[in-house]
Amino acid sequence: MIGWKGLVFLLLCACAGSPAQAELSPQGQQQDPELQALIRKSNAYIGLMNRTLRAVESWNRYRSWVNPRSGPTGRERVIYGMYSLYDVREEIAKANEAASSPPSLPGVDASVKRYILAYNSFAPLVAEAEGYYERKDYLADKFAEGKELHAKLAPAAETFLQARADFEREMNAIKNDLDARELADIERREGRKARWHMRNVMVSAQKVVDLLPTGYSLVVDLPEFDAALDNFAAAVKVMDAYAAANPNSFGVFESQPRAYLGKLREFRQKIEGTKGDARRANTWNDLSWLVNDYNMMVSTSRNATAIAR
């Protein structure tokens, strides 16, 4: 079974408007039309991944009290059930449309279609199980239906999580180049001002978070983690210098990156003595907070981008 950190994925700085419209920065510079098309496609995919994260969270809740191999026994001390899922019909429609639209990205276009199929198989079973446990039907049937549901739910979850892993891997294959191009385009149109600094900080933060351990990948590659952490630290320091010279440029987002950097450094110190083994360092609570704080930064950065100057 694949472990997941529950990350919200960072949307690219897409501009609104139809594909035929060339977006302008405050300085009147046109955005690269090809880049704009790539951003629209990528954001359709990221929007789907973020909205369907609820299915990952629901499965994680289920396996927090059920052995995913054997299923419910009726002897569990606590019965948490599952989380209800969100309506993702709009996100699926946008992702399907993006998969058929230029520019062609064969790997990720194919993986999103497999992901949608896997989700559409998994989601109805989650909904069925969520209702079963919410109604406490297990008190009436002694878990008979719960055991039957598990026999279908567990393999569907495995397929779904593998499809999500494949989808994320394909996205990551194009993301580094797209991030670099986007930063260069923002700098060309606006210079290294607030929007550039926020994007630079968030891109470098995501590279660190991607290296955090999951429940089934317990050891951090310390040299790789240190390199990503150093890059994030440099981005935060440059942003802080800009904020000092340009007060009120970032709103409430301003303090979050440096606070997050401090937490990452504390985590790094804890895994030093275990050579990166998060389990031996007993850092699972730290990881939970790091993921939550990163997700909060993603959310806050979206709002801050609208007022950045």
Side-chain angles (χ1 to χ4, degrees):
M1 184 61 66
I2 301 164
W4 289 93
K5 296 190 284 279
L7 292 177
V8 173
F9 294 86
L10 183 63
L11 287 164
L12 299 164
C13 294
C15 297
S18 70
Q21 291 175 317
E23 299 296 335
L24 301 179
S25 71
Q27 288 71 34
Q29 295 291 319
Q30 288 188 349
Q31 187 180 41
D32 179 349
E34 181 186 356
L35 177 60
Q36 191 178 359
L38 278 169
I39 287 174
R40 279 195 300 271
K41 170 171 275 202
S42 296
N43 279 350
Y45 292 165
I46 292 170
L48 176 65
M49 294 184 80
N50 284 346
R51 189 71 171 168
T52 54
L53 178 61
R54 181 69 168 181
V56 178
E57 294 169 342
S58 186
W59 175 249
N60 284 342
R61 181 174 176 81
Y62 179 72
R63 68 187 185 92
S64 72
W65 64 273
V66 170
N67 184 323
R69 292 185 178 86
S70 59
T73 64
R75 297 187 298 274
E76 289 79 12
R77 296 182 62 185
V78 290
I79 298 169
Y80 291 127
M82 302 188 79
Y83 293 132
S84 60
L85 303 184
Y86 301 139
D87 182 355
V88 296
R89 288 174 294 180
E90 182 178 351
E91 286 77 14
I92 287 176
K94 288 180 179 179
N96 274 323
E97 181 181 0
S100 303
S101 302
S104 176
L105 300 171
V108 73
D109 291 343
S111 71
V112 72
K113 293 178 181 178
R114 291 192 295 269
Y115 179 67
I116 290 170
L117 286 173
Y119 180 85
N120 284 339
S121 295
F122 181 51
L125 295 171
V126 172
E128 189 176 354
E130 189 272 333
Y132 173 81
Y133 288 107
E134 182 69 15
R135 293 188 302 268
K136 293 183 168 50
D137 289 349
Y138 55 87
L139 295 178
D141 70 0
K142 302 185 185 304
F143 279 91
E145 186 178 349
K147 293 174 181 178
E148 291 176 4
L149 277 170
H150 181 83
K152 297 180 285 186
L153 190 63
E158 182 75 28
T159 300
F160 165 70
L161 292 175
Q162 185 60 62
R164 188 175 175 93
D166 293 343
F167 186 18
E168 183 179 351
R169 184 176 61 253
E170 292 291 348
M171 283 296 297
N172 286 338
I174 65 169
K175 195 171 186 310
N176 287 341
D177 176 63
L178 193 51
D179 285 337
R181 288 180 61 182
E182 186 192 17
L183 275 170
D185 194 61
I186 294 172
E187 183 174 7
R188 176 182 65 83
R189 292 184 293 117
E190 302 179 15
R192 293 194 173 191
K193 295 185 178 179
R195 261 180 287 270
W196 185 92
H197 285 288
M198 278 192 292
R199 188 64 194 171
N200 188 46
V201 160
M202 290 307 301
V203 166
S204 57
Q206 184 163 6
K207 293 183 188 307
V208 180
V209 172
D210 285 344
L211 298 173
L212 293 175
T214 67
Y216 298 90
S217 179
L218 300 171
V219 180
V220 177
D221 183 322
L222 291 180
E224 189 176 8
F225 186 83
D226 288 344
L229 186 58
D230 287 346
N231 185 60
F232 176 53
V236 171
K237 191 171 183 179
V238 171
M239 180 187 138
D240 283 348
Y242 181 88
N246 300 272
N248 303 317
S249 293
F250 301 102
V252 296
F253 178 76
E254 181 176 319
S255 63
Q256 290 180 334
R258 57 178 175 263
Y260 194 61
L261 174 60
K263 292 178 181 179
L264 284 169
R265 282 175 164 159
E266 289 176 348
F267 169 77
R268 173 61 179 84
Q269 187 175 46
K270 288 181 179 181
I271 60 174
E272 173 70 33
T274 61
K275 298 182 179 179
D277 191 321
R279 179 174 55 187
R280 289 172 54 209
N282 193 26
T283 57
W284 294 118
N285 286 336
D286 302 78
L287 286 168
S288 179
W289 282 110
L290 285 172
V291 169
N292 290 340
D293 287 357
Y294 168 77
N295 288 346
M296 180 61 70
M297 278 209 309
V298 171
S299 177
T300 307
S301 69
R302 293 174 189 158
N303 297 327
T305 298
I307 64 170
R309 54 190 177 87

